[in-house]
Amino acid sequence: MMVEKEDLGLSLSLSFPENNKKSSPFNLMHKKSWTDSLFPSSDRSSETCRVETRTFLKGIDVNRLPETADADEEAGVSSPNSTISSVSGNKRSEREANNCEENETSRGISDEEDGETSKKKLRLSKDQSAILEESFKEHNTLNPKQKLALAKSLGLRPRQVEVWFQNRRARTKLKQTEVDCEFLKRWYENLTEENRRLHKEVQELRALKLSPKLYMQMTPPTTLTTCPSCERVGPPPNSSSSGPTPTPMGQAQTRPMPFNIWANTLHPRS
DNA sequence: AAGTTTATTGCCCTTACGTCA
DNA sequence: CTTGACGTAAGGGCAATAAAC
């Protein structure tokens, strides 16, 4: 049921409807700040929350398995392999800071515990990554509810889920770009080859024209004819295809205009 | 109704950390 | 043990969008 653009987007379809800004789940969102309704905390409360967490998680080694069950339980780390980040607050964190209560009191996850000193990074566990991956296969963007639910089930902060999806989309796009480049490269090589072949054919025809006998006896060229009036070389009148060389990706031999494979991807804003 | 402000999110670019050879 | 390459989580900036004013 899901579109298989996935698998790192190795198809050339480039159809990422959900990726389209205009159709992003964002539109489905009630702008009446869901964070406000869900986590109506002020900056101060998030700061408080941060401080509490800092003490709360003090002593938990970053990027290390929680040593004790206590640590695991109290930190609310979902998976034993998951580790704790301590990135200091920023604009996004502030946005998400309201989630503090949800995620640090009830879930116990914090990224702020020693934020003032270090900037350690969380490494998601395999389980977490796998679940995120599965989720990404279903939707490559998340609406706030999905994000919250996923974050909760994974024991992560919504911001982390958001970031993961963002980076995942970027990876998908990068992969797709690589595939596109490869495709264009092959296409270019093919056109170059075809061009070379056609030039050669023109030369041969011109040479033959110099010897009328042969010219009259020859079978019509496979791909080109000479216009009787202007004597220019062109495709055969009844030919539906303009070249014998198969174009890449099994395309028709009439050279199609390259579809804009970057539409909606490279310049989504313009 | 039209224009402005505000809030929210996505994308891009970049940085910094963790891992591995 | 050190180092460089690579993957990736996360920060910051900007644009787009919709709701509120």
Side-chain angles (χ1 to χ4, degrees):
Chain A
M1 118 195 190
M2 270 301 110
V3 204
E4 8 338 274
K5 63 197 173 221
E6 299 321 338
D7 204 7
L8 284 180
L10 287 182
S11 85
L12 280 171
S13 66
L14 286 175
S15 54
F16 291 86
E18 311 102 307
N19 213 12
N20 191 334
K21 263 187 185 195
K22 317 294 186 232
S23 62
S24 76
F26 175 57
N27 293 338
L28 305 176
M29 248 176 282
H30 359 8
K31 293 302 183 164
K32 190 54 187 180
S33 110
W34 54 277
T35 50
D36 285 351
S37 51
L38 285 172
F39 317 105
S41 55
S42 64
D43 281 343
R44 184 189 297 156
S45 62
S46 62
E47 179 56 36
T48 308
C49 173
R50 210 169 299 155
V51 172
E52 283 170 357
T53 322
R54 204 172 295 146
T55 54
F56 178 63
L57 287 169
K58 195 172 286 179
I60 296 182
D61 199 347
V62 173
N63 280 315
R64 213 154 243 101
L65 247 128
E67 303 256 290
T68 65
D70 275 352
D72 198 2
E73 283 171 3
E74 288 187 18
V77 177
S78 64
S79 131
N81 289 332
S82 91
T83 51
I84 301 167
S85 72
S86 59
V87 179
S88 52
N90 69 341
K91 118 186 135 169
R92 303 270 181 173
S93 299
E94 285 161 14
R95 282 180 205 164
E96 301 276 351
N98 293 336
N99 297 338
C100 201
E101 290 171 359
E102 165 92 357
N103 296 294
E104 293 175 15
T105 318
S106 67
R107 307 295 307 170
I109 296 293
S110 168
D111 64 335
E112 319 282 356
E113 61 281 0
D114 57 348
E116 46 209 335
T117 55
S118 65
K119 213 176 173 184
K120 294 284 170 66
K121 213 168 57 173
L122 158 78
R123 199 83 190 179
L124 299 182
S125 72
K126 285 186 177 179
D127 286 346
Q128 288 171 322
S129 295
I131 292 173
L132 286 165
E133 194 67 40
E134 281 304 305
S135 181
F136 185 83
K137 283 179 180 175
E138 292 186 19
H139 319 92
N140 65 358
T141 58
L142 292 175
N143 65 34
K145 277 189 178 177
Q146 292 172 319
K147 182 168 71 177
L148 276 176
L150 196 52
K152 200 168 184 177
S153 71
L154 291 172
L156 297 172
R157 284 169 292 115
R159 169 64 182 160
Q160 289 178 288
V161 173
E162 177 184 314
V163 165
W164 188 92
F165 267 72
Q166 180 57 50
N167 287 323
R168 184 64 178 77
R169 284 191 292 269
R171 287 196 289 275
T172 298
K173 185 176 177 182
L174 179 63
K175 265 298 197 230
Q176 184 62 49
T177 302
E178 288 172 2
V179 170
D180 294 340
C181 285
E182 188 57 33
F183 166 61
L184 290 176
K185 193 175 147 195
R186 289 210 307 267
W187 195 356
Y188 170 78
E189 289 168 356
N190 215 290
L191 288 177
T192 304
E193 169 62 22
E194 186 182 355
N195 190 39
R196 196 180 57 76
R197 190 184 54 75
L198 292 176
H199 271 297
K200 190 181 170 193
E201 191 168 331
V202 168
Q203 281 185 342
E204 289 171 357
L205 288 171
R206 285 192 173 137
L208 285 173
K209 195 181 174 183
L210 296 178
S211 51
K213 253 188 179 177
L214 286 174
Y215 184 70
M216 296 305 289
Q217 291 171 359
M218 70 176 286
T219 55
T222 53
T223 57
L224 299 175
T225 58
T226 303
C227 173
S229 56
C230 64
E231 297 196 338
R232 281 175 174 272
V233 177
N238 57 350
S239 162
S240 60
S241 60
S242 65
T245 310
T247 54
M249 316 302 286
Q251 297 201 352
Q253 295 184 359
T254 49
R255 255 167 262 144
M257 286 301 291
F259 53 88
N260 186 0
I261 58 175
W262 294 291
N264 301 327
T265 58
L266 282 188
H267 306 291
R269 285 174 198 145
S270 51

